[in-house]
């Protein structure tokens, strides 16, 4: 009986593979998907996969707002999932009916950005904070003060991202200003902090961060937990991801299907494939961000002992989808800052 069931399952898998031939065009965070999984999926299902990368949620939003993107799958963060849904830019794929949904940890189901789980399947989560190069700076990193009010060793040697999303959120954590504040007076405090920091910022950039901070070109860089981990472990860079007492900015990226996608069924198949424990573990070990789906723990490489970046010891507040009034204030702060 067991052998018969296994044979039947294998036949069904082969049938699914035959039905899945075609194309899949994905637009995801740069270098975020394990190349071996792209190859494995392509070979198993006879699907030609094209992968393009972006460096900010804003880039993705702009691309989809322009229409006719040609992409079948993307991976926005939680607050941008909500924005994309509200703007009618995503396909309702009844994600709750997918096999992948059964792999999702209960705490990530029914969240405010997709309460009925119609549009999205989580793929990774983590935090945004700042990383220091210990050859440049050997002082404390237990507060955002190190980043926003640079000590002498970091003056002129700080780098920021070139978009406001998580940077403004971190400034709000430091100042005690609520996320999505509609109070101009409170947001003026955020602007004043960032404007005072600006002379110490060597560059506002969201690419090539690993080389910039790993080489010591800058001493502190706004960054993400897993990226810092990968650069520390894989490149041997003398860096440390800070745990500021005021907290870190949280994010969760999900797989979604842009409205008008040509290969919706292949996108769903890819979601199921990426959420299988074996493949999710390969992705976890490659991407070095926390997984919202079940892993094969015997093969998972990262633990609190060898990857403290992934196990925060401070509060984490997740970015929110703000009202138009609140978002206008964020945009105003950033626009004035970079003038």
């Amino acid at each position: 009986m067991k052998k018969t069931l296994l044979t039947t399952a294998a036949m069904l898998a082969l049938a699914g593979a035959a039905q899945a031939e075609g194309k899949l065009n994905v637009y995801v965070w740069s270098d975020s998907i394990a190349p071996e999984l792209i190859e494995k999926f392509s070979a198993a299902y006879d699907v030609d996969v094209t992968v393009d990368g972006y460096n900010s949620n804003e880039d993705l939003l702009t691309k989809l707002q322009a229409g006719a993107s040609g992409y079948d799958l993307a991976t926005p963060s939680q607050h941008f999932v909500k924005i994309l849904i509200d703007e009618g830019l995503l396909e309702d794929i009844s994600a709750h009916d997918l096999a992948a949904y059964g792999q999702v940890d209960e705490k990530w189901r029914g969240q405010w950005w997709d309460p009925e789980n119609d549009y999205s399947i989580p793929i990774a989560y983590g935090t945004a904070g700042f990383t220091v190069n210990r050859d440049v700076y050997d002082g404390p990193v237990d507060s955002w003060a190190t980043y926003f009010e640079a000590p002498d060793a970091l003056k002129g040697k700080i780098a920021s991202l070139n978009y406001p999303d998580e940077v403004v959120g971190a400034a709000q954590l430091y100042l005690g200003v609520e996320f999505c504040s509609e109070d101009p007076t409170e947001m003026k405090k955020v602007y004043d902090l960032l404007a005072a920091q600006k002379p110490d910022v060597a560059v506002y950039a969201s690419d090539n961060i690993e080389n910039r901070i790993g080489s010591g070109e800058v001493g502190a860089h706004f960054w993400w937990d897993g990226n810092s981990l990968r650069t520390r472990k894989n490149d041997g860079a003398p860096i440390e991801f800070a745990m500021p007492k005021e907290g870190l900015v949280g994010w969760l990226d999900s797989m979604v299907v842009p409205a008008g996608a040509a290969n919706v069924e292949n996108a769903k198949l890819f979601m199921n494939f990426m959420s299988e424990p074996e493949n999710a573990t390969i992705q976890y070990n490659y991407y070095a961000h926390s997984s919202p789906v079940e892993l094969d723990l015997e093969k998972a490489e990262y633990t609190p002992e060898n990857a403290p970046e992934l196990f925060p010891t401070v509060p984490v507040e997740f970015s929110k989808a703000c009202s138009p009034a609140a978002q206008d204030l964020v945009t105003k702060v950033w626009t004035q800052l970079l003038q």
Side-chain angles (χ1 to χ4, degrees):
M1 173 67 76
K2 182 177 180 181
K3 183 176 181 181
T4 301
L5 288 173
L6 289 173
T7 302
T8 302
M11 292 174 66
L12 288 172
L14 287 172
Q19 294 169 5
E21 63 185 14
K23 295 182 180 296
L24 179 67
N25 300 313
V26 304
Y27 190 45
V28 295
W29 290 91
S30 295
D31 301 318
S32 64
I33 305 295
E36 71 174 279
L37 290 179
I38 297 296
E39 295 177 6
K40 182 179 178 181
F41 176 81
S42 182
Y45 296 103
D46 192 24
V47 173
D48 181 14
V49 183
T50 300
V51 182
D52 291 335
Y54 56 83
N55 293 313
S56 74
N57 283 298
E58 288 85 352
D59 289 344
L60 170 61
L61 176 61
T62 299
K63 178 78 74 172
L64 297 188
Q65 285 174 330
S69 68
Y71 294 114
D72 306 306
L73 185 138
T75 54
S77 301
Q78 75 285 345
H79 48 319
F80 275 78
V81 170
K82 172 64 172 171
I83 291 169
L84 293 170
I85 292 172
D86 289 348
E87 293 197 14
L89 295 173
L90 298 183
E91 291 282 346
D92 181 340
I93 57 170
S94 298
H96 50 264
D97 291 334
L98 298 178
Y101 181 71
Q103 300 293 103
V104 176
D105 190 306
E106 287 282 352
K107 69 180 178 181
W108 299 119
R109 299 182 184 182
Q111 288 284 350
W112 58 266
W113 52 86
D114 187 8
E116 301 301 322
N117 299 112
D118 292 324
Y119 297 88
S120 61
I121 294 292
I123 187 173
Y125 70 93
T127 59
F130 70 97
T131 294
V132 297
N133 185 300
R134 283 308 195 181
D135 286 346
V136 177
Y137 173 73
D138 62 1
V141 291
D142 61 348
S143 171
W144 277 107
T146 299
Y147 182 79
F148 287 119
E149 301 182 41
D152 289 344
L154 290 176
K155 290 193 178 300
K157 297 180 180 180
I158 287 175
S160 182
L161 302 182
N162 61 2
Y163 63 87
D165 187 13
E166 291 157 328
V167 178
V168 168
Q172 290 172 309
L173 287 178
Y174 180 48
L175 295 171
V177 174
E178 290 187 3
F179 283 10
C180 294
S181 174
E182 297 182 4
D183 185 342
T185 301
E186 290 291 276
M187 293 306 291
K188 176 66 163 51
K189 296 177 184 177
V190 173
Y191 170 76
D192 289 344
L193 177 69
L194 295 174
Q197 181 202 33
K198 188 174 181 179
D200 294 321
V201 177
V203 62
Y204 293 90
S206 300
D207 58 0
N208 201 37
I209 297 174
E210 61 275 9
N211 293 326
R212 196 175 295 118
I213 187 66
S215 68
E217 177 185 336
V218 297
H221 211 308
F222 200 100
W223 214 10
W224 300 284
D225 53 350
N227 302 71
S228 187
L229 167 61
R230 287 167 65 184
T231 302
R232 176 177 66 82
K233 289 183 69 70
N234 298 345
D235 300 341
I239 60 175
E240 179 179 349
F241 187 71
M243 292 289 167
K245 60 189 177 185
E246 300 88 359
L248 294 164
V249 180
W251 56 267
L252 179 136
D253 294 339
S254 294
M255 295 177 283
V256 300
V257 178
N263 301 291
V264 175
E265 293 308 312
N266 283 348
K268 292 180 182 179
L269 189 63
F270 188 76
M271 292 180 183
N272 289 336
F273 172 85
M274 291 295 292
S275 301
E276 294 170 7
E278 177 182 340
N279 297 330
T281 305
I282 292 172
Q283 173 65 9
Y284 174 72
N285 291 341
Y286 170 81
Y287 196 30
H289 287 297
S290 299
S291 175
V293 299
E294 182 182 350
L295 299 176
D296 180 344
L297 295 180
E298 292 185 358
K299 296 180 180 178
E301 294 180 4
Y302 301 117
T303 66
E305 291 72 31
N306 67 20
E309 295 92 337
L310 304 188
F311 300 88
T313 56
V314 297
V316 176
E317 183 163 352
F318 280 72
S319 298
K320 302 174 181 177
C322 300
S323 68
Q327 190 56 50
D328 284 347
L329 287 176
V330 171
T331 301
K332 183 178 179 180
V333 164
W334 201 253
T335 301
Q336 290 182 347
L337 176 68
L338 297 188
Q339 283 180 345

